[in-house]
Amino acid sequence: MPTSLTIAEAALATGLTTYTLRYYEQIGLIDPVPRRGGQRIYGENDMRLIQFVLRLRGTGMPMRDIQEYVRLRRLGETQESIVGRGDLLERHAAHLRDELVSLTETIARLDEKIALYRSIYGADGAPTPVKSDAAGGPGDTIPTPRRKQA
């Protein structure tokens, strides 16, 4: 990666808009970016921070928590900063683990439903109706699972 990028180049490299990069700087999500000739110039450290912010955003971390992380980062390698950042990331990781459990359970339930529907209609989507009994009338047929032939 080049050692310095204009805002347009940084936007292209990150997938953000130039407006979003300016906004992130304005709300303190990224450090103030040095300027050369009035134009923002993003260095390697700026780009690493932006990439980390994007990774946190990608996990659903609230903006206020990312702002707090960046605030603590600006304190340097002090005990308050290191403990605070560690605690913040630990809470978020625990939240993500809880979400993962929930998503895993939801996926399992969806897979059960999919298997049920496939057993009723088959992979090709064609139903296999059951013959109605003497008491049943038209429309009372219930699809039954297809059986694979050996």
Side-chain angles (χ1 to χ4, degrees):
M1 178 182 307
T3 56
S4 62
L5 300 171
T6 66
I7 192 167
E9 293 166 335
L12 188 61
T14 61
L16 297 171
T17 65
T18 57
Y19 173 82
T20 300
L21 286 170
R22 286 186 202 98
Y23 176 70
Y24 280 8
E25 184 179 347
Q26 179 185 352
I27 64 170
L29 207 56
I30 60 174
D31 297 328
V33 179
R35 288 160 172 73
R36 187 180 323 137
Q39 176 139 8
R40 287 173 174 83
I41 300 297
Y42 294 82
E44 289 180 42
N45 289 337
D46 300 312
M47 295 303 293
R48 273 196 297 275
L49 178 58
I50 292 167
Q51 291 298 336
F52 189 66
V53 164
L54 291 176
R55 186 171 301 271
L56 293 176
R57 289 286 298 142
T59 67
M61 181 181 272
M63 291 288 266
R64 68 181 176 281
D65 288 350
I66 299 172
Q67 287 172 305
E68 177 61 9
Y69 179 90
V70 171
R71 184 193 72 75
L72 289 167
R73 181 180 165 272
R74 285 188 185 115
L75 296 177
E77 300 305 311
T78 65
Q79 183 176 356
E80 176 189 357
S81 173
I82 292 169
V83 169
R85 286 184 278 170
D87 289 349
L88 193 148
L89 293 177
E90 184 176 23
R91 282 191 307 274
H92 187 62
H95 171 75
L96 290 176
R97 284 185 191 92
D98 290 344
E99 276 190 15
L100 184 58
V101 167
S102 178
L103 285 171
T104 301
E105 290 169 357
T106 300
I107 291 169
R109 183 70 178 127
L110 291 173
D111 286 343
E112 290 170 9
K113 288 286 195 186
I114 292 166
L116 172 67
Y117 298 146
R118 293 292 182 254
S119 72
I120 294 171
Y121 286 95
D124 62 0
T128 53
V130 174
K131 294 180 185 175
S132 62
D133 60 19
D140 286 342
T141 59
I142 300 171
T144 58
R146 280 188 164 179
R147 303 203 188 271
K148 292 185 179 178
Q149 295 183 357

